Amino acid sequence: MSLRMACVALLMMTAAAGCDRVGVGEAPTTTQRPSRSSPVTVPDTAVDTVATAEPGLARNRWAAGTDLARTVTGNLTTSLESGRGGPLIMAFANGLTLRLERIAEHVGADRTGSGGATFAATLGADPNAGVYIYRVADERIYSTAPQGGVCQRDAAKFVALSEFVNRNGDWTFVFAAFRGEQSPGPQSDRDPQLCGAYGYVVN
C-alpha cells in the first residue's frame, strides 16, 4: 500500500470514530446548552404592588393612630375642595385646619431631601406606596389646639402624605410636616426640616 493510500485510510477511520462518539442524528453537546454570555432580553420587573389612593377622595374620616397624632391633632377629616386633584382640606379635632395644594408625586422609596432618609422611613409607609407632596396654602390654628400646629410653634410649609393599604390589609393615612423653604423630594439639595410624622387609621 502506498503512503498516500495509507493516509487516506487513516483519515477515514478517524472520522468514523468521531461520528460514533457523537451519535447518529445527535448534535454535539456544545450546541445543546445555551451560552451563559447570551444577553437577557426580558427584564425582571416584578414589584409588589401597593394599593394607594388619592387623599380625600374615597375615605374621609380617620382616627389618630399614633401618640403624636393623638396629642397634637386628634382625629382627622379630609375633603377635596373642588374634586379630584383639587386642594386638600385636612381638619383636625384638636383645632387645626390645613389647606393644601398638590405640587408633586413620589413613592415611598424616594429620598426626602439631601440626606439619606426616604419617605417610607419618615412616614412608616411601604416603599412602593404613592406619596403626594403638598404646599401648605393656609394653616389655621385655633385656641383649642394645645400643642400649636403640625410643626408645633413653627409654620408648616410642606406636607408629604400617603393613603395606602398596609401589610395587614388595612387602609392607613400617614403624613409628615416640614418647615423648610424647599419642598421635600429627591430633587431637593437641602434638608426639608421635618417637624413630625403622624399616623391614622380608618374611623
Side-chain angles (χ1 to χ4, degrees):
M1 180 183 295
S2 68
L3 180 60
R4 180 177 180 182
M5 293 185 63
C7 289
V8 171
L10 181 61
L11 288 172
M12 291 178 64
M13 290 173 58
T14 302
C19 290
D20 289 341
R21 286 194 298 270
V22 173
V24 178
E26 183 179 324
T29 56
T30 54
T31 62
Q32 292 177 343
R33 290 193 301 268
S35 171
R36 294 182 180 180
S37 62
S38 59
V40 176
T41 57
V42 180
D44 182 8
T45 57
V47 176
D48 293 333
T49 57
V50 175
T52 305
E54 179 177 352
L57 191 62
R59 283 154 294 277
N60 305 104
R61 297 185 179 277
W62 302 90
T66 62
D67 289 340
L68 187 62
R70 282 186 286 269
T71 301
V72 177
T73 69
N75 293 348
L76 164 67
T77 301
T78 61
S79 60
L80 292 171
E81 190 172 278
S82 55
R84 184 184 293 274
L88 176 66
I89 308 300
M90 296 171 63
F92 301 97
N94 286 4
L96 308 171
T97 302
L98 294 175
R99 184 177 182 272
L100 309 172
E101 296 176 348
R102 189 192 301 179
I103 59 173
E105 295 181 28
H106 299 292
V107 295
D110 288 338
R111 292 185 302 105
T112 61
S114 59
T118 64
F119 288 112
T122 301
L123 296 169
D126 190 284
N128 297 314
V131 176
Y132 297 89
I133 309 300
Y134 292 84
R135 181 182 66 83
V136 178
D138 185 39
E139 180 181 24
R140 297 187 180 183
I141 306 171
Y142 300 96
S143 60
T144 54
Q147 304 294 325
V150 291
C151 278
Q152 288 78 60
R153 303 304 172 189
D154 294 324
K157 300 293 180 60
F158 298 96
V159 167
L161 58 83
S162 182
E163 183 178 330
F164 67 100
V165 175
N166 63 21
R167 293 184 180 181
N168 295 326
D170 301 320
W171 280 99
T172 303
F173 187 101
V174 292
F175 81 91
F178 301 87
R179 62 177 180 269
E181 296 296 330
Q182 196 172 77
S183 65
Q187 80 292 334
S188 177
D189 57 359
R190 298 181 185 177
D191 177 5
Q193 299 182 47
L194 172 69
C195 304
Y198 302 83
Y200 304 82
V201 295
V202 174
N203 191 357

